[in-house]
């Protein structure tokens, strides 16, 4: 029988404990998970693609069936390339719904064989977003309960570097 492969796509700028919760729970449902970072040439992120990949790699090293990768262009084309028939997305609140519905409908139009599954984010993490994490970290707030240790460290280093090059 062929492997059941799912893609957990996103910007992951940076990965949070909310993302990790979805990745971990998905890894129990599928044979293989590809955590895939969108490499958007038009939008430079806070962390580079290489930094994001390295942070994710470290954060998922305890999950043997999780691979970390990046993609450019359409998500469904990437899914076809890696043989994934499912996309898994986390849903935090009703406010996520409209965007997610558009994304899913478009992906379904592009490839009807690929299903998108939604997983409710654990209540503990339902208020977290990568942008909020960056804002809190920027002003020295404590993000230790909402991001993995390596991300907390990377945020501190990045802001230290930005502040020192501003002067
Ligand atoms: O973490 P995000 O930013 O909510 O993730 C969004 C992502 C990367 C899943 C979405 O932007 C995406 O799949 N982009 C690739 C282009 C694409 O296939 N778009 C869907 C059809 S418009």
């Amino acid at each position: 029988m062929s492997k059941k492969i799912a893609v957990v796509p996103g910007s992951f700028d940076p990965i949070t404990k909310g993302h990790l919760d979805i990745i971990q729970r998905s890894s129990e449902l599928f044979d293989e998970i590809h955590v895939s970072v969108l490499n958007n040439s038009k939008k430079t992120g806070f962390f580079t693609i290489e930094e994001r990949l390295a942070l994710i790699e470290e954060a998922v090293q305890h999950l043997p069936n999780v691979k970390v990768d990046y993609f450019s262009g359409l998500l469904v084309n990437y899914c076809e390339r890696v043989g994934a028939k499912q996309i898994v997305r986390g849903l935090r609140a009703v406010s996520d719904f409209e965007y997610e519905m558009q994304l899913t409908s478009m992906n379904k139009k592009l490839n009807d064989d690929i299903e998108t599954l939604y997983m409710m984010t654990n209540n503990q993490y339902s208020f977290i977003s990568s942008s909020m994490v960056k804002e809190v970290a920027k002003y020295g707030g404590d993000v230790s309960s909402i991001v993995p240790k390596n991300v907390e460290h990377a945020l501190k280093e990045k802001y230290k570097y930005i502040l020192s090059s501003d002067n």
Side-chain angles (χ1 to χ4, degrees), residues 9-12 19 36 38 43 71 73-76 89 99-100 103 106-107 110:
S11 305
F12 301 105
H19 292 130
S36 308
L38 173 67
K43 204 170 126 195
F71 72 102
L74 291 177
L75 176 59
V76 289
R89 295 278 291 167
Y99 169 65
E100 294 298 334
L103 201 63
M106 186 49 78
N107 285 336
L110 293 166

Side-chain angles (χ1 to χ4, degrees), residues 8 12 15 20 23 32-37 49-61 63-71 78 82:
V8 180
F12 301 105
I15 187 165
L20 261 183
I23 295 165
E32 195 172 294
I33 293 290
H34 285 240
V35 178
S36 308
V37 183
I49 290 291
E50 292 75 18
E51 287 169 332
R52 283 184 245 173
L53 291 170
L55 290 171
I56 302 170
E57 292 268 12
E58 237 183 303
V60 301
Q61 61 186 357
L63 303 170
N65 61 339
V66 174
K67 294 184 170 184
V68 183
D69 200 0
Y70 68 93
F71 72 102
Y78 170 79
V82 298

Side-chain angles (χ1 to χ4, degrees), residues 110-122:
L110 293 166
N111 186 334
D112 198 28
D113 291 336
I114 298 175
E115 290 295 342
T116 303
L117 309 175
Y118 285 93
M119 204 175 256
M120 290 301 298
T121 304
N122 190 315

Side-chain angles (χ1 to χ4, degrees), residues 5-160:
I5 304 173
V7 169
V8 180
S11 305
F12 301 105
D13 190 25
I15 187 165
T16 67
K17 284 194 177 175
H19 292 130
L20 261 183
D21 169 56
I22 299 293
I23 295 165
Q24 182 145 354
R25 284 157 61 203
S26 305
S27 76
E28 287 163 22
L29 302 175
F30 292 91
D31 297 321
E32 195 172 294
I33 293 290
H34 285 240
V35 178
S36 308
V37 183
L38 173 67
N39 185 15
N40 188 344
S41 55
K42 290 216 184 78
K43 204 170 126 195
T44 47
F46 181 70
F47 288 105
T48 65
I49 290 291
E50 292 75 18
E51 287 169 332
R52 283 184 245 173
L53 291 170
L55 290 171
I56 302 170
E57 292 268 12
E58 237 183 303
V60 301
Q61 61 186 357
H62 61 296
L63 303 170
N65 61 339
V66 174
K67 294 184 170 184
V68 183
D69 200 0
Y70 68 93
F71 72 102
S72 311
L74 291 177
L75 176 59
V76 289
N77 291 348
Y78 170 79
C79 291
E80 286 161 20
R81 272 203 308 283
V82 298
K85 286 280 172 66
Q86 278 92 17
I87 296 166
V88 179
R89 295 278 291 167
L91 260 193
R92 289 165 302 186
V94 181
S95 49
D96 283 342
F97 188 79
E98 201 167 322
Y99 169 65
E100 294 298 334
M101 199 170 72
Q102 283 180 343
L103 201 63
T104 299
S105 308
M106 186 49 78
N107 285 336
K108 196 88 182 121
K109 218 175 203 14
L110 293 166
N111 186 334
D112 198 28
D113 291 336
I114 298 175
E115 290 295 342
T116 303
L117 309 175
Y118 285 93
M119 204 175 256
M120 290 301 298
T121 304
N122 190 315
N123 278 347
Q124 206 182 338
Y125 305 125
S126 59
F127 65 96
I128 309 176
S129 67
S130 296
S131 25
M132 222 179 247
V133 161
K134 282 176 280 196
E135 183 149 322
V136 173
K138 180 176 177 182
Y139 297 111
D142 180 9
V143 291
S144 60
S145 62
I146 53 179
V147 294
K149 214 82 235 98
N150 63 333
V151 173
E152 184 189 352
H153 181 72
L155 282 162
K156 275 195 189 133
E157 289 300 309
K158 193 85 158 177
Y159 278 119
K160 218 192 294 174

